[in-house]
Amino acid sequence: MKTTSLFLLAFLLAYAGVAQPMNRFRDSQTVDAFFKYRADRKRPLILAHRGGPGSADTENSITTFDKTAKALPDVIIEMDVRLTRDSNYVLLHDPTLDRESDATGSVADKTLTELKAIKLKTLSGKLTDQPIPTFTDVLKWNRNRYMLALDVKPGTDPLLVMAEVEKYKAVHSVFVICYSMAEAQKVRDRYPSLWLAVGVNDMAGLERLEKSPLASGRLIALTPQKLQPVSFYERLHKLGILASVGTYGTGQLDEKPLSEATMGYRDLVKQGGDIITTDRPLEVSGLF
């Protein structure tokens, strides 16, 4: 345990304060290279779930995004995009404001002006002075420096969200998490060079994907938290599709002490996982 802690400290100190240049993700070739499947990949890509907040941080906030990105320059930052009553976009995981802010009620029932007056709470429930960020705020903050994973929540049209992305010339610094293959195909038809992520939950789902036009490329498979047979990941890799595995949630690796979970994270990658979607991105990255 002591050796692991010292290694993690050295890792964080080495990267502390590092920021990526503007327009790092400037074209489709850059994104394709970032996500290209490589059998010899030594380290998994790390996806920071809701931005990777600790207990004293707010989720889905620019403050947390900035903190995580400076510590892990190659991190993928995940965020939840929701539609307001007046057709604007803000970041919030839950459909209601109750858990994450000092307000109550549905996000969809509020105007952007009303939402801007609301303050976020930390994961531990402490009120902060941080406002709910708009999606536009995030695009302006990012300036194509980091890869953003857009979880466009049900009821919010991903094509309209992508129109906002286009407006800020940020198409090459995002990928869209889709809730069905049909939705993914709709987005792919409009944005053929855009990377997408879609759930592939079992061998039957994998077989359906293999017969779909989506299997032609630029796809990330959101695979079960329970590890699948090696052959499952091998079939994805044969198509050039990366496998993302979530380790967050009740009973999952992120909920266990790091000393107990270390081999679990490493087994995930050994089995065939390419991206780890985690609530503790800094600690997990330090294991590889």
Side-chain angles (χ1 to χ4, degrees):
M1 178 63 178
K2 185 176 180 181
T3 301
T4 301
S5 298
L6 290 173
F7 176 82
L8 178 58
L9 178 61
F11 176 85
L12 297 178
L13 288 174
Y15 283 100
V18 174
Q20 293 286 9
M22 287 187 293
N23 292 318
R24 171 192 179 202
F25 291 106
R26 59 192 175 277
D27 52 35
S28 59
Q29 291 80 12
T30 308
V31 188
D32 290 350
F34 182 77
F35 283 125
K36 180 180 175 61
Y37 170 69
R38 298 195 306 271
D40 61 348
R41 187 189 295 273
K42 302 301 183 184
R43 297 172 50 80
L45 295 173
I46 301 296
L47 194 155
H49 185 231
R50 306 184 196 179
S55 62
D57 300 317
T58 50
E59 60 185 71
N60 275 296
S61 72
I62 291 176
T63 298
T64 297
F65 296 164
D66 195 62
K67 177 180 176 180
T68 301
K70 285 179 177 176
L72 295 177
D74 283 329
V75 73
I76 301 167
I77 301 172
E78 189 256 3
M79 61 198 62
D80 303 289
V81 184
R82 290 192 177 277
L83 185 67
T84 69
R85 193 178 78 195
D86 52 351
S87 300
N88 289 288
Y89 302 103
V90 295
L91 302 191
L92 206 77
H93 179 269
D94 297 354
T96 63
L97 295 153
D98 305 45
R99 178 182 66 86
E100 300 166 77
S101 78
D102 62 350
T104 60
S106 170
V107 176
D109 291 338
K110 304 287 187 183
T111 66
L112 182 60
T113 299
E114 290 171 326
L115 289 167
K116 281 186 173 181
I118 293 170
K119 303 301 181 184
L120 293 174
K121 292 179 180 178
T122 66
L123 289 190
S124 62
K126 183 178 180 181
L127 186 63
T128 73
D129 61 357
Q130 298 174 38
I132 295 175
T134 68
F135 183 49
T136 299
D137 291 337
V138 175
L139 294 175
K140 290 179 177 178
W141 163 80
N142 189 39
R143 294 176 292 179
N144 299 328
R145 294 177 297 162
Y146 306 101
M147 181 55 59
L148 309 181
L150 309 183
D151 187 347
V152 180
K153 292 301 186 182
T156 303
D157 188 339
L159 291 180
L160 294 179
V161 172
M162 283 305 301
E164 186 75 4
V165 172
E166 278 194 284
K167 189 187 303 183
Y168 288 90
K169 297 180 174 59
V171 172
H172 305 302
S173 62
V174 306
F175 72 86
V176 176
I177 297 170
C178 298
Y179 280 76
S180 69
M181 289 179 63
E183 182 180 70
Q185 190 61 61
K186 182 176 73 169
V187 179
R188 171 58 47 79
D189 290 343
R190 175 66 181 82
Y191 296 95
S193 67
L194 180 68
W195 279 77
L196 304 173
V198 68
V200 183
N201 299 318
D202 49 31
M203 281 293 188
L206 176 53
E207 290 170 359
R208 288 192 295 272
L209 175 62
E210 288 172 330
K211 299 173 184 177
S212 165
L214 290 169
S216 61
R218 294 190 171 116
L219 195 69
I220 296 165
L222 306 177
T223 64
Q225 291 182 305
K226 181 180 179 181
L227 283 182
Q228 301 298 296
V230 171
S231 59
F232 178 86
Y233 304 102
E234 288 177 342
R235 285 170 67 172
L236 288 171
H237 293 157
K238 187 176 180 180
L239 297 169
I241 296 173
L242 300 186
S244 175
V245 185
T247 56
Y248 57 89
T250 303
Q252 300 301 321
L253 290 173
D254 288 353
E255 299 298 312
K256 300 177 181 179
L258 192 63
S259 58
E260 294 179 15
T262 293
M263 289 310 300
Y265 290 115
R266 290 174 176 165
D267 286 345
L268 183 159
V269 175
K270 184 179 179 180
Q271 191 85 347
D274 305 288
I275 302 172
I276 300 179
T277 299
T278 175
D279 280 334
R280 51 182 182 189
L282 277 66
E283 293 89 344
V284 173
S285 182
L287 300 176
F288 297 93

